[in-house]
């Protein structure tokens, strides 16, 4: 299907209108239709979007994307806020919404140092629990969560953000207590709970050389030990001048070469100035609000919007070039107003990081991606 003609020559203007209002005919094609034979095109969903509160983004998600991931509701602090007390209401609704709308459903995330409940790694006095106790807690959490959605959630971010930019292990509680063994442990437990589910390692700042090599080593180690790992998720929290696209591409190729699929996860492109050029997506790193850091509160100048379209399209050009290696590209949110980028690393800003604007209208980049997909 790679050669299929999808855009009529009169198309660009009508195309943008049509994807904006979501109608689909032979001539007017949505993002997910255009990418159907390339890779899944996904989005993260917030609770408001799959529970009928935010109907605007819900519609945009349904009409334009083919895969979903929960932005927050499946993190361990929400699923098991107290030991043995699970809260599945929102996660159940998320999965039901995905099934009702024919989405490829990914679970996010089983083991992550952030948004983990206090009780998981420490005892009542705040001291680290023993390796045996943590192993048991991980076993009960992963088993309960993965087996509940067995056959329905098609892939899991098993371990999230365990490696630093220089390639060293993040010194998380999991690492302090179990060393790097917590990673193979998590992959083994997830596989036991649903042998058919795909399993992923997911991280940000993947264009860094040190991180690239460490992730390749991790993939190889897991595979040598006979453990299942299907793909590496390259979080795409990118900016106008980072990362260098060539370095991102190098990592993509290195992961594929290590024998797994690549997924571009958590894609968003900020236009805002960063007080620290090297922050990746470390949620704990934040800076105080200053007006000078929020230059586009009243709207995005055309020149900046055009540059944004260009950069987003450049990334998609790379994704399409390597479509045989990529199984999914997922935006970290539906419309600009939904994006966590408005609140990080500086709270209270106005960013324009996603493919649909605050009114749910497709940005020019959507038409550009559709055009690129048809070539
Ligand atoms: O987008 C998420 C935001 O709403 C949460 O407040 C934040 C809390 O840690 O997590 C954000 O999502 C993160 C994702 O789960 C893992 N990679 C980095 C993402 C951005 O922080």
């Amino acid at each position: 299907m790679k050669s299929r003609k999808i855009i009529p020559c009169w198309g660009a203007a009508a195309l943008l209108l049509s994807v904006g209002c979501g109608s689909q005919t032979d001539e007017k094609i949505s993002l997910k239709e255009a990418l159907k034979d390339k890779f899944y095109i996904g989005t993260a969903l917030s609770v408001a979007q799959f529970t009928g509160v935010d109907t605007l983004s819900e519609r945009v998600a349904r009409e334009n994307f083919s895969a979903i991931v929960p932005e927050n509701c499946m993190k361990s602090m929400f699923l098991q806020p107290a030991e043995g007390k699970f809260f599945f209401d929102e996660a159940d609704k998320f999965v039901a919404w995905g099934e009702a709308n024919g989405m490829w459903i990914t679970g996010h995330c089983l083991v992550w140092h952030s948004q983990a409940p206090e009780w998981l790694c420490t005892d009542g006095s705040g001291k680290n629990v023993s390796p045996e106790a943590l192993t048991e807690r991980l076993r009960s959490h992963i088993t309960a969560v993965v087996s509940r959605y067995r056959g329905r959630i098609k892939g899991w971010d098993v371990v999230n953000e365990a490696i630093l930019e220089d390639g060293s292990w993040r010194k998380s509680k999991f690492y302090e207590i179990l060393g790097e063994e917590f990673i193979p442990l998590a992959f083994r437990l997830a596989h036991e709970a649903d042998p058919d589910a795909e399993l992923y390692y997911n991280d940000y700042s993947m264009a860094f050389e040190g991180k690239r090599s460490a992730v390749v080593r991790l993939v190889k180690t897991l595979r040598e030990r006979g453990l299942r790992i299907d793909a590496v998720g390259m979080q795409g929290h990118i900016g106008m001048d980072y990362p260098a696209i060539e370095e991102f591409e190098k990592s993509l190729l290195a992961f594929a070469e290590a024998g797994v699929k690549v997924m571009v996860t958590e894609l968003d492109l900020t236009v805002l100035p960063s007080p620290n050029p090297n922050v990746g997506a470390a949620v704990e790193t934040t800076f105080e609000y200053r007006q000078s850091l929020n230059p586009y509160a009243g709207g995005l100048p055309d020149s900046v919007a055009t540059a944004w379209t260009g950069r987003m399209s450049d990334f998609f050009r790379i994704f399409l070039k390597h479509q045989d290696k990529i199984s999914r590209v997922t935006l970290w949110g539906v419309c600009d107003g939904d994006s966590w980028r408005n609140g990080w690393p500086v709270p209270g800003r106005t960013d324009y990081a996603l493919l649909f604007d605050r009114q749910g209208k497709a940005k020019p980049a959507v038409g550009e991606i559709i055009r690129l997909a048809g070539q």
Side-chain angles (χ1 to χ4, degrees), residues 292-306:
S292 59
L293 294 173
N294 191 23
Y296 309 126
L300 202 58
D302 286 349
S303 59
V304 183
T306 302

Side-chain angles (χ1 to χ4, degrees), residues 36 40 99 168 253 341 362:
K36 192 161 64 146
Y40 287 110
E99 288 178 334
S168 62
L253 293 173
R341 289 289 204 168

Side-chain angles (χ1 to χ4, degrees), residues 71-72 75 108 112 115 160-161 235 266 283 332 340:
E71 184 172 2
N72 285 302
K75 292 171 181 173
H108 172 87
W112 187 30
Q115 288 186 303
N160 201 36
E161 302 170 9
Q235 293 180 24
E266 307 189 20
V283 276
W332 201 240
W340 76 298

